Amino acid sequence: MTDSSLPGNLRVRPNIADLLGLLAIMAGAVIIATAGRHMLVPIPASEAGTIHLNPAWLPAYAVRTTLRMFAALAASLLFTFTYAVWAAKSRRAGQVLIPLLDILQSVPILGFLTFTVVFFLGLFPGRMMGAELAAIFTIFTSQAWNMAFAMYQALRTVPPDLEEAALCFGLTPWQRFWRLEVPFAIPSLVWNTMISMSGGWFMVVYSETITVGNTDIALPGIGSYVGVAIEQRNIWAIFYAIAAMLAVILAYDQLLFRPLVAWSARFQTDEGTTLAAPDPWVLTLLRRTHLLRQGCLRMGDMMTRIGWLPLGSRPSAPRQPLVPSRLLDIAWIAALAVCAVTIGWKTWTYGSTHYTMAQVLHVIMLGGITLARVMVTVLVASVIWVPVGIWLGLSPRRARRAQMAAQFMAAFPANLFFPLVVVGIVRWHLNSNIWLTPLMLLGTQWYILFNIVAGASSYPGDLLEAAKNFHVRGWLWWWRVMLPGITPYFITGALTASGGAWNAAIATEVASWGDTTLSANGLGAYIAHATVAGATDQVGLGMAIMAAFVLMLNRALWRPLSNYAARHYTFD
């Protein structure tokens, strides 16, 4: 052994930090294996209908819920790196995939559960695996669309100078994707992954308490714990569930997302949007390890080598295609037209035999009521959180704290607030059509706050300093300086908040506390009642009408506003 090799061997000797990390990895492996074993047992043996409200059961329930959340997150990442990449790379595929993604995003999450429970239970008859997959898929539908849109937008907005540099270096499509496009998309993808996790928590009660027609299964988890606590009017169990949720969110925020945010800052192309922050304690602890740090470095080297594989053809002089592009476009449009006509004809045939015109008009009227409720909710959330978000975003320290607090609050299911609202409405004989509406803010306000804080944080400091030097204050400062600068961020937040409000309508237009159930007139209540009754025809009609409303609202209002803001209120 040479003297030069001795220090290297000393550096990879495990220390106390390595021991702690290895113990944590082993504990995680045991937990995952135990949860996987419970997924394979028969439904009767799993006590699927028995949820214990003793807080001693909450740690096990929290673990089961967290594993479902991360299983859905893994599926969402796989979907993002396939579907979104295909849509961004292929112009013709994007013409179909992006509108389809817009439709999928507008479909209420509870609607997916109605049609997928029977499918997944049929795949594993009599086993908990089917119910678990149905719950994971429901959580997946609350995470995947947002992440896919973030990846698509990032791939479509790679700076031209970086694209030119990749071309000059002769990178193949595989190398350009992993060495340029993915690193450019990482900051946006990490941030939207955090938001998607919060969205998954918002619907966790409905994903773990499966009630569709005659199918009634309660999967062990925090969501089903909350559902049983509401049925039994156990307010202390609600408080225990809140404490468990806070603990879980704090744990994965500190162990996973804080390190990911710090790591993603390495890929920021605009230094002005990066908030100065100390390294998370998890990264500090990892740097103090010897064995784990070496293992992470070796894994990073292996991933780097994979990214540099010369797969695909290198850029060269353009070649004349065998078939002219115009002919391919004509054939593609003709194929799409045939598919659209076929789908339209099948839909008309099915609808004419299952629905009456009066029934369709009634559901459209309910959709109009929910539309009015959504717009009022977005307006109220904007009035409250735009000034607060600007105040928070102008200070890096306040912005960091606000983002963490908003992440916690965004994860709270609306059901946790049902006791207060239902008891108040019943006690003071209030109108449920009006006083159930504030619950919709839970699915709306945090998207606006997230984006306003991000917009104020990235506002150019030299412009703020110039406004200060010119003594621009009061309303003039708001209307001429700050509000125009955050308009693109506000439009993005309002668009996503609108979609969140439509999905939250199902959870908030029907509120229960024990034997007391309150319902507001609207499309969300219509879909929720049809889901419980197992009326798939009514669920399908409600989902179609809601998707149509969301698409029309996006095309007629949010998309034009977004394009206008991008043309007039962006900093070049």
Side-chain angles (χ1 to χ4, degrees):
M1 179 180 297
T2 62
D3 293 340
S4 61
S5 63
L6 185 59
N9 290 332
L10 289 177
R11 283 196 300 269
V12 296
R13 288 180 179 177
N15 55 11
I16 298 298
D18 282 305
L19 180 61
L20 294 176
L22 291 174
L23 288 177
I25 294 174
M26 293 175 62
V30 171
I31 291 173
I32 294 175
T34 304
R37 179 174 58 84
H38 285 296
M39 293 175 65
L40 299 175
V41 299
I43 290 181
S46 65
E47 298 182 353
T50 303
I51 301 297
H52 306 276
L53 294 186
N54 188 329
W57 288 82
L58 266 176
Y61 291 162
V63 170
R64 296 287 293 273
T65 298
T66 305
L67 290 178
R68 293 187 192 104
M69 296 283 290
F70 279 97
L73 185 64
S76 300
L77 286 173
L78 179 62
F79 177 83
T80 298
F81 275 86
T82 53
Y83 190 100
V85 173
W86 187 20
K89 294 291 185 180
S90 173
R91 177 177 59 85
R92 298 186 182 92
Q95 293 173 352
V96 177
L97 297 181
I98 294 305
L100 181 60
L101 189 61
D102 210 1
I103 294 174
L104 290 173
Q105 189 182 30
S106 64
V107 172
I109 295 172
L110 196 59
F112 287 107
L113 188 62
T114 304
F115 296 97
T116 56
V117 166
V118 177
F119 171 75
F120 285 113
L121 290 179
L123 289 179
F124 301 92
R127 296 282 176 177
M128 284 298 295
M129 177 65 77
E132 291 281 356
L133 290 178
I136 291 172
F137 182 80
T138 304
I139 300 173
F140 163 84
T141 59
S142 66
Q143 297 176 343
W145 322 136
N146 181 51
M147 296 169 60
F149 269 122
M151 186 70 172
Y152 173 79
Q153 292 294 340
L155 294 180
R156 298 284 292 178
T157 57
V158 176
D161 53 345
L162 297 182
E163 292 277 11
E164 186 67 23
L167 184 65
C168 293
F169 281 111
L171 300 184
T172 65
W174 175 267
Q175 294 171 337
R176 185 170 63 251
F177 177 71
W178 289 109
R179 305 307 300 171
L180 170 61
E181 294 168 344
V182 170
F184 178 79
I186 280 177
S188 175
L189 186 59
V190 168
W191 179 243
N192 282 275
T193 300
M194 296 171 62
I195 299 178
S196 296
M197 282 291 288
S198 298
W201 277 104
F202 190 83
M203 296 300 295
V204 71
V205 175
Y206 296 94
S207 64
E208 293 181 349
T209 306
I210 301 174
T211 302
V212 179
N214 297 325
T215 303
D216 191 357
I217 300 175
L219 298 173
I222 295 180
S224 54
Y225 183 93
V226 171
V228 174
I230 291 175
E231 291 179 1
Q232 299 184 9
R233 293 177 178 257
N234 193 328
I235 193 65
W236 284 107
I238 295 291
F239 290 142
Y240 296 146
I242 291 175
M245 285 185 58
L246 285 175
V248 171
I249 294 171
L250 180 63
Y252 71 65
D253 178 79
Q254 293 295 315
L255 296 175
L256 178 63
F257 284 129
R258 289 301 110 188
L260 281 178
V261 169
W263 172 73
S264 66
R266 300 170 52 190
F267 304 100
Q268 287 280 6
T269 58
D270 184 3
E271 296 180 357
T273 62
T274 304
L275 300 178
D279 287 339
W281 63 270
V282 173
L283 286 182
T284 303
L285 182 63
L286 181 60
R287 293 191 182 103
R288 292 177 180 174
T289 63
H290 293 167
L291 186 63
L292 292 180
R293 183 161 56 90
Q294 290 294 327
C296 292
L297 291 175
R298 291 179 182 275
M299 185 177 298
D301 291 340
M302 181 181 66
M303 297 300 295
T304 301
R305 293 191 183 96
I306 293 176
W308 278 114
L309 290 176
L311 301 179
S313 59
R314 296 190 180 276
S316 58
R319 300 177 181 178
Q320 186 68 23
L322 297 178
V323 181
S325 178
R326 185 174 181 82
L327 292 179
L328 290 177
D329 290 339
I330 294 174
W332 177 249
I333 294 174
L336 293 180
V338 171
C339 292
V341 170
T342 303
I343 294 174
W345 174 253
K346 294 291 185 181
T347 303
W348 173 261
T349 303
Y350 179 86
S352 61
T353 57
H354 289 78
Y355 310 115
T356 63
M357 182 58 65
Q359 185 179 8
V360 174
L361 292 177
H362 173 69
V363 177
I364 292 176
M365 182 193 68
L366 294 178
I369 295 174
T370 302
L371 172 63
R373 194 172 285 128
V374 167
M375 298 309 295
V376 170
T377 302
V378 173
L379 178 62
V380 172
S382 302
V383 171
I384 295 173
W385 292 110
V386 166
V388 174
I390 291 174
W391 179 76
L392 294 172
L394 291 180
S395 170
R397 180 176 298 179
R398 290 197 300 260
R400 288 196 303 271
R401 294 176 179 175
Q403 289 169 351
M404 183 176 298
Q407 182 185 349
F408 289 141
M409 296 303 298
F412 269 55
N415 309 63
L416 295 178
F417 297 90
F418 283 178
L420 298 176
V421 176
V422 173
V423 170
I425 291 176
V426 173
R427 182 173 181 179
W428 288 293
H429 305 288
L430 302 176
N431 189 339
S432 58
N433 287 308
I434 298 175
W435 293 100
L436 283 179
T437 303
L439 288 174
M440 197 178 291
L441 280 170
L442 301 174
T444 302
Q445 57 189 356
W446 309 117
Y447 294 101
I448 294 178
L449 179 60
F450 279 135
N451 284 275
I452 295 300
V453 170
S457 301
S458 60
Y459 198 98
D462 53 350
L463 295 183
L464 292 175
E465 189 65 27
K468 182 178 179 181
N469 292 335
F470 283 109
H471 304 287
V472 180
R473 300 186 182 93
W475 286 107
L476 184 62
W477 182 85
W478 283 95
W479 289 108
R480 295 298 184 183
V481 178
M482 182 51 64
L483 291 181
I486 65 164
T487 296
Y489 295 89
F490 169 73
I491 297 299
T492 301
L495 191 154
T496 54
S498 174
W502 279 101
N503 267 304
I506 296 179
T508 57
E509 289 185 350
V510 178
S512 300
W513 177 239
D515 297 331
T516 304
T517 300
L518 300 178
S519 180
N521 292 325
L523 189 54
Y526 176 86
I527 296 175
H529 290 313
T531 300
V532 174
T536 55
D537 289 345
Q538 297 179 18
V539 173
L541 178 60
M543 291 171 58
I545 297 298
M546 182 174 286
F549 266 100
V550 175
L551 285 175
M552 288 189 297
L553 188 63
N554 288 348
R555 300 300 179 185
L557 179 63
W558 299 122
R559 297 300 181 188
L561 285 179
S562 179
N563 294 333
Y564 180 83
R567 291 194 306 267
H568 294 86
Y569 297 115
T570 55
F571 297 107
D572 295 329

